[in-house]
Amino acid sequence: ECLYVDFDFDRAQQKLKLCESVIVNDFFLTACGDSFMEMARHLLFEKFFRLHHTISLDMLAEKLNMEVNEAEEWIVQMMQLAKLEAKIDSQAKMVIMGSPGSHSLSPYQQVV
């Protein structure tokens, strides 16, 4: 609800932390904890960049409940696996999604 209805990323981050603590303390869920957290982070990342095309690495690491270096490595893996058009400006500590001209296109033109 906080992601799909309200787009409340702060509340989604709180829920992610709560899920992590529940998974760690649950005997049956512990085995799939890493996979769950990875998928949850992927979902947060995807939804966040549908709304924001540029974001600081510090903020993204905070939203994903990760350290900055860990978040940067994770984003690089996401870009490679999902073949995302994105780049990381390490000096400015920013992630920039999409090619330079893609934001001026209508959704119809992007699909075609």
Side-chain angles (χ1 to χ4, degrees), residues 42-104:
H42 184 282
L43 182 64
L44 277 169
F45 179 77
E46 182 181 317
K47 291 295 177 189
F48 200 80
F49 274 108
R50 286 183 190 256
L51 297 175
H52 308 280
H53 295 287
T54 306
I55 183 171
S56 74
L57 279 172
D58 295 329
M59 178 187 266
L60 187 61
E62 180 185 332
K63 298 289 182 198
L64 296 175
N65 196 25
M66 302 170 93
E67 296 294 322
V68 176
N69 292 337
E70 185 183 15
E72 187 173 1
E73 290 174 14
W74 185 82
I75 293 165
V76 169
Q77 289 176 351
M78 287 292 299
M79 291 181 341
Q80 291 171 346
L81 293 174
K83 298 194 183 345
L84 296 173
E85 288 186 36
K87 67 178 184 175
I88 297 176
D89 184 347
S90 295
Q91 291 187 349
K93 290 191 170 187
M94 299 292 286
V95 179
I96 303 154
M97 292 297 289
S99 59
S102 67
H103 305 304
S104 62

